[in-house]
Amino acid sequence: MPASRAGAAADALGGMEDNDAVPPLMAVARDRDAEVRKAVMQALNNLQDRRALPAFVGGLSDTNAEVRYHAAEGIGNIENLRVAPPELIRAMDDANGEVRHAAAHALGHLKDPASLRALIAHVTDAEVEVRQAVVEALDEFDDPSVAGALRTALRDTNAEVRQAAVRALGNRNKSK
């Protein structure tokens, strides 16, 4: 099947909202064509099925940044997943800012304490979108180490990051 047809098939399977599509999608998750792999990650993401976790974890090491982005996003969309795969935590060090952004959102959704160190390390990330996602993710954690990172974010050069830090610190004070 030509790559464009395979990608279209993956799109169609993901749009059907039929979780029976998960195994066939996972079977082509390592296709040679990056567009097919990206379409598979997007389709699996739409289905939000826990069985897709191995494909998402594999996608985090893909050579294509868009595949890695959709893989991180997909992990974050799996309901009731509370343990962050180590590969997702390592994705916080990805060279691509969009991948780090998706990883930060996913880690905030999972709320796994094992991811705190990686999130805190990126409160001063070079990309503003990543810093904001990190602050929002840190808001999900009730850990003493978070307050210092949020105070660092209060001095950020970007107003939205500072506002997110103020909200997060306010939420911490309300929970006490």
Side-chain angles (χ1 to χ4, degrees):
M1 180 183 311
S4 60
R5 290 180 64 201
D11 287 339
L13 287 171
M16 292 172 54
E17 297 182 15
D18 181 355
N19 286 12
D20 288 341
V22 171
L25 285 166
M26 289 179 63
V28 293
R30 290 286 189 187
D31 192 273
R32 283 184 290 186
D33 186 281
E35 289 302 313
V36 172
R37 296 191 309 272
K38 182 176 86 170
V40 167
M41 290 298 144
Q42 289 173 310
L44 289 171
N45 195 347
N46 289 341
L47 296 172
Q48 299 180 356
D49 190 303
R50 187 182 205 96
R51 294 175 296 166
L53 184 60
F56 290 139
V57 168
L60 290 171
S61 63
D62 199 276
T63 57
N64 183 284
E66 289 182 81
V67 173
R68 295 191 311 272
Y69 168 84
H70 289 293
E73 186 179 59
I75 293 171
N77 286 331
I78 296 175
E79 290 299 319
N80 299 317
L81 184 64
R82 293 293 173 241
V83 176
E87 296 85 353
L88 180 62
I89 296 171
R90 283 193 297 273
M92 285 303 303
D93 291 325
D94 195 279
N96 184 282
E98 290 181 9
V99 175
R100 294 192 310 275
H101 179 257
H105 273 295
L107 292 170
H109 177 78
L110 299 180
K111 302 176 190 164
D112 183 348
S115 65
L116 268 175
R117 183 176 295 142
L119 287 166
I120 290 170
H122 286 275
V123 78
T124 57
D125 193 275
E127 302 279 336
V128 67
E129 293 84 6
V130 175
R131 295 193 308 268
Q132 185 167 357
V134 164
V135 169
E136 291 167 356
L138 289 173
D139 192 16
E140 300 296 328
F141 292 89
D142 184 25
D143 186 276
S145 63
V146 171
L150 294 175
R151 283 193 296 277
T152 297
L154 286 174
R155 296 184 301 275
D156 197 275
T157 57
N158 181 274
E160 291 179 23
V161 173
R162 291 191 307 268
Q163 288 172 345
V166 167
R167 278 191 303 275
L169 284 166
N171 291 339
R172 295 181 66 69
N173 291 333
K174 287 179 191 174
S175 66
K176 290 185 177 187

